[in-house]
């Protein structure tokens, strides 16, 4: 039986009311943080995921979609919503160093890191600058493109939300008074912007979990209730982004094999579909798309030395400590993104080759890459071989990108067909483009450092997950994510997150 429609804020309702046929299918895109195909397959095999099973049986299921690099949510979301890699959208990772501002940007890697760098800096970078200026203003988001063609869009708890409509984030007294945040902050977003407690279109209409225990609304329950309300009141925009963050925290702690929160997510997806009255009705009225943004690799237990302390590895260098002021003696700055790091070189006294030789002695390190006179040079710990490459050339990869290669391609596990001038990727999916993008994502002289599966990088107080799981790196396990599409037979051309924006636009434009 159709539920009685609840009132909705008139301003938001008018804003998201589509000019297209109200009966035309909408896209509900659900990003489930750290959803992995092995968890889906295992849960279905154990008959614990009936909703996932239904959507897969009535749709398309891909297990090998290549995500962005670094495999961190803010950078991945920027790639998804702009259809570009970090060299164009300019959000290099969760943590990075700004040469322009001469400070370490940290969007929230961990409590201690935030405290060391300063709470005001964290709040300013995350809530003001990330969408306001860090995300390249010349690279349009899907929200901005849809607005330009008269289609409506919405974001529920999306970290990246820049659009064409005016909105206001409102911060409670106890947050804005002791910090740099104003009481109200004007932002640009899609037609509907639900951003936890700070932009809650259902305030006064429906009680949502927006307290401190629920991370002020950044939780699956908030996202679910918001989208259910839109469905039941027939107020879905043409494109709706919905973020489910809870699984990520669970897998970090318990490891990739844990199914508890995947089962919980399945139940939440069932509730979402039932908001249409039935699963069948849901797939008539909407295209349901579910994506895991990154995978995770198991981190070994404490007694197997899973943590690579880059401070110890580089103890012969002057490395900037978090929260400390930059000085003339500073030689290296580290920006740790869990299993990946940007290493910035501020001196000409040492070359990246020398630094790489120092780091290569640790067999737990994986890929080391840096720019050198127009080339990208790559080495790996435990190997004396080197590899170098440039964009554009006579070698074509599966995504129709061309490259010039030099030295040993086995360093990056590339399979080369010299007769056809083609290459295939192995353990490191789309690695040439993704490394090239990261190394051109922001100004400065820096190296990319990644850890082998089972290990994490650390400096000073950066968080670790011994015995749990981590991501950020470029390995297959954290780079290949699942994609489920139900409600349309139209298929994406390439299975990469960077290509999904164009796929969404094709669906919406018909």
């Amino acid at each position: 039986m159709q539920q009685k429609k609840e009132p909705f804020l008139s301003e938001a309702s008018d804003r998201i009311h589509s000019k297209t046929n109200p009966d035309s299918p909408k896209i509900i895109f659900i990003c489930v943080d750290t959803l992995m195909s092995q968890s889906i397959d295992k849960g279905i095999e154990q008959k614990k995921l009936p909703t996932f099973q239904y959507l897969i049986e009535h749709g398309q299921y891909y297990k090998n979609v290549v995500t962005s690099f670094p495999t961190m949510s803010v950078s991945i979301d920027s790639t998804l919503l702009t259809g570009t890699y970090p060299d164009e959208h300019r959000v290099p990772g969760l943590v990075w160093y700004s040469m322009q501002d001469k400070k370490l940007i940290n969007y929230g890697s961990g409590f201690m890191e935030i405290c060391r760098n300063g709470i005001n800096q964290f709040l300013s970078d995350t809530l003001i600058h990330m969408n306001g200026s860090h995300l390249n203003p010349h690279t349009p988001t899907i929200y901005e493109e849809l607005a330009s063609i008269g289609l409506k869009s919405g974001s529920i708890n999306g970290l990246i939300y820049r659009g064409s409509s005016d909105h206001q984030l409102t911060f409670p007294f106890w947050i804005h008074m002791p910090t740099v945040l104003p009481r109200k902050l004007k932002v640009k977003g899609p037609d509907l912007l639900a951003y936890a407690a700070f932009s809650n279109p259902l305030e006064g209409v429906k009680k949502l979990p927006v307290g401190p225990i629920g991370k002020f609304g950044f939780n699956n329950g908030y996202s679910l209730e918001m989208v259910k309300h839109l469905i039941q009141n027939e107020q879905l925009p043409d494109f709706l982004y919905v973020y489910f963050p809870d699984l990520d925290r669970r897998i970090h702690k318990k490891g990739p094999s844990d199914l508890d929160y995947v089962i919980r997510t399945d139940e939440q997806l069932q509730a979402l579909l039932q908001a249409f009255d039935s699963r069948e009705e849901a797939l008539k009225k909407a295209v349901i798309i579910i994506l895991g943004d990154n995978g995770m690799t198991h981190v070994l237990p404490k007694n197997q030395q899973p943590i690579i302390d880059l401070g110890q590895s580089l103890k012969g260098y002057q490395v900037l400590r978090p929260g400390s002021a930059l000085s003339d003696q500073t030689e290296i700055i580290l920006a740790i993104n869990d299993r990946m790091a940007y290493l910035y070189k501020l001196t000409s006294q040492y070359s990246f080759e020398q630094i790489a030789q120092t780091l290569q002695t640790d067999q737990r390190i994986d890929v080391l890459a840096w720019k050198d006179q127009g080339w990208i040079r790559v080495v790996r710990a435990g190997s004396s071989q080197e590899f170098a490459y440039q964009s554009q050339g006579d070698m074509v990869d599966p995504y129709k990108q061309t490259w010039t290669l030099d030295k040993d391609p086995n360093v990056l596990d590339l399979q080369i067909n010299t007769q056809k001038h083609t290459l295939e990727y192995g353990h490191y999916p789309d690695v040439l483009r993704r490394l090239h993008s990261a190394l051109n994502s922001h100004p400065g002289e820096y190296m990319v450092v990644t850890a082998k599966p089972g290990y994490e990088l650390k400096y000073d107080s950066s968080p670790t997950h011994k015995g749990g799981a981590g991501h950020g790196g470029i390995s297959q396990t954290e780079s290949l994510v699942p994609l489920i599409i139900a409600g349309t037979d139209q298929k994406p051309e390439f299975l990469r997150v960077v290509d999904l924006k164009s796929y969404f636009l094709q669906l919406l434009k018909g």
Side-chain angles (χ1 to χ4, degrees):
M1 185 176 70
Q2 179 71 31
Q3 295 188 25
K4 182 181 178 181
K5 294 182 184 180
E6 300 177 25
F8 194 62
L9 296 182
S10 59
E11 180 183 354
S13 179
D14 292 342
R15 180 181 278 165
I16 65 173
H17 183 72
S18 178
K19 295 177 183 176
T20 60
N21 183 346
D23 295 325
S24 63
K26 316 297 184 185
I27 292 179
I28 301 177
F29 174 84
I30 306 157
C31 179
V32 181
D33 202 328
T34 313
L35 180 66
M36 293 178 280
S37 60
Q38 57 264 43
S39 299
I40 296 173
D41 296 344
K42 179 181 175 183
I44 290 176
E45 184 181 348
Q46 295 179 6
K47 302 187 185 308
K48 294 179 178 178
L49 302 177
T51 313
F52 278 110
Q53 183 172 351
Y54 176 83
L55 292 171
I56 288 170
E57 289 176 350
H58 293 80
Q60 309 167 45
Y61 178 34
Y62 305 99
K63 304 180 184 184
N64 57 343
V65 176
V66 183
T67 193
S68 188
F69 174 75
T71 46
M72 305 298 282
S73 291
V74 291
S75 190
I76 296 166
D77 284 2
S78 299
T79 289
L80 172 77
L81 295 169
T82 65
T84 66
Y85 275 132
D87 57 342
E88 294 183 62
H89 66 60
R90 299 297 187 183
V91 178
L94 186 67
V95 186
W96 56 284
Y97 183 76
S98 169
M99 289 292 178
Q100 178 181 344
D101 299 328
K102 294 192 176 353
K103 68 177 184 179
L104 203 63
I105 309 294
N106 188 322
Y107 299 126
S109 63
F111 178 74
M112 287 303 299
E113 290 287 280
I114 291 169
C115 291
R116 290 284 178 89
N117 289 309
I119 187 69
N120 280 331
Q121 181 175 313
F122 159 70
L123 292 172
S124 296
D125 288 334
T126 304
L127 297 174
I128 300 174
H129 303 310
M130 183 167 68
N131 282 279
S133 58
H134 294 167
L135 183 67
N136 189 348
H138 304 295
T139 303
T141 66
I142 190 170
Y143 306 126
E144 291 166 326
E145 289 201 34
L146 290 175
S148 71
I149 58 174
L151 295 181
K152 301 299 182 178
S153 62
S155 171
I156 299 176
N157 274 348
L159 303 174
I160 302 297
Y161 56 74
R162 195 188 71 209
S164 302
S165 296
D166 293 324
H167 293 277
Q168 196 168 250
L169 303 185
T170 303
F171 303 106
F173 175 85
W174 56 269
I175 288 182
H176 86 86
M177 278 301 291
T179 69
V180 295
L181 290 179
R183 171 69 174 149
K184 296 182 183 297
L185 176 67
K186 292 181 179 179
V187 298
K188 289 283 190 179
D191 301 282
L192 170 77
L193 177 63
Y195 192 69
F198 310 128
S199 177
N200 180 5
L202 293 183
E203 187 172 3
V205 176
K206 177 178 282 191
K207 188 175 181 180
L208 298 177
V210 294
I213 295 176
K215 295 188 177 291
F216 305 104
F218 289 109
N219 58 71
N220 287 16
Y222 175 104
S223 299
L224 174 63
E225 289 304 315
M226 188 68 68
V227 69
K228 281 172 56 182
H229 187 95
L230 295 174
I231 293 167
Q232 291 164 350
N233 289 274
E234 298 178 2
Q235 293 173 331
L236 282 174
D238 298 291
F239 175 83
L240 180 65
Y241 175 102
V242 184
Y243 181 48
F244 278 13
D246 294 356
L247 181 61
D248 177 76
R249 294 188 288 270
R250 177 76 175 189
I251 301 300
H252 266 306
K253 183 178 180 180
K254 295 291 186 178
S257 62
D258 186 84
L259 274 183
D260 285 357
Y261 273 44
V262 183
I263 295 170
R264 185 177 298 186
T265 301
D266 187 275
E267 294 167 352
Q268 291 164 336
L269 292 173
Q270 172 69 2
L272 188 154
L273 297 182
Q274 288 299 334
F276 286 97
D277 285 345
S278 71
R279 300 184 300 187
E280 294 75 18
E281 190 70 13
L283 299 190
K284 291 178 183 176
K285 292 187 174 180
V287 177
I288 309 294
I289 302 177
I290 301 169
L291 177 79
D293 62 347
N294 57 259
M296 281 205 203
T297 177
H298 176 65
V299 177
L300 294 169
K302 183 178 180 180
N303 61 1
Q304 296 187 42
Q305 291 76 50
I307 306 304
I308 305 167
D309 189 333
L310 290 181
Q312 287 295 316
S313 304
L314 299 165
K315 58 186 176 183
Y317 300 87
Q318 295 294 319
V319 183
L320 182 70
R321 292 181 66 84
S324 299
L326 195 68
S327 73
D328 294 338
Q329 283 72 47
T330 305
E331 297 172 333
I332 287 175
I333 298 173
L334 293 170
I336 307 294
N337 286 267
D338 200 352
R339 293 185 7 86
M340 174 271 186
Y342 287 113
L343 184 157
Y344 301 84
K345 183 170 70 74
L346 304 185
T347 177
S348 58
Q349 184 176 351
Y350 307 105
S351 67
F352 280 124
E353 187 171 20
Q354 289 173 298
I355 297 171
Q357 287 171 354
T358 299
L359 294 174
Q360 274 182 287
T361 60
D362 191 327
Q363 298 298 305
R364 300 169 298 174
I365 294 283
D366 196 13
V367 170
L368 301 165
W370 64 96
K371 292 191 293 186
D372 183 12
Q373 297 181 345
W375 291 82
I376 291 177
R377 295 184 60 187
V378 188
V379 297
R380 289 176 59 203
S383 172
S384 60
Q385 301 304 310
E386 296 183 9
F387 176 61
Y389 71 97
Q390 291 178 320
S391 62
Q392 302 184 344
D394 62 350
M395 299 300 297
V396 184
D397 72 9
Y399 308 105
K400 300 179 182 178
Q401 302 164 142
T402 64
W403 308 97
T404 299
L405 312 182
D406 188 37
K407 300 184 180 179
D408 188 357
N410 289 319
V411 171
L412 288 178
D413 195 28
L414 303 178
Q415 287 81 53
I416 307 298
N417 187 320
T418 53
Q419 290 183 331
K420 295 182 178 179
H421 293 279
T422 60
L423 67 89
E424 297 289 337
Y425 295 109
H427 184 64
Y428 308 101
D430 196 20
V431 65
L432 300 183
R433 182 68 183 92
R434 295 199 297 155
L435 269 183
H436 181 276
S437 165
L439 287 166
N440 290 278
S441 59
H442 57 300
E445 287 189 73
Y446 50 91
M447 166 190 284
V448 162
V449 182
T450 70
K452 288 178 180 173
Y455 302 97
E456 283 185 306
L457 301 177
K458 176 184 183 295
Y459 178 55
D460 202 81
S461 56
S462 59
T464 58
H465 309 90
K466 303 180 189 76
H471 56 98
I474 205 164
S475 71
Q476 202 171 65
T477 307
E478 54 213 316
S479 297
L480 296 183
V481 297
L483 173 67
I484 299 170
I485 304 169
T488 179
D489 293 328
Q490 192 167 334
K491 295 176 170 57
E493 181 182 6
F494 293 119
L495 294 178
R496 297 188 302 179
V497 169
V498 73
D499 298 306
L500 289 179
K501 177 190 171 189
S502 61
Y503 173 67
F504 298 154
L505 291 172
Q506 287 170 15
L507 291 176
L508 291 166
K509 292 176 180 178

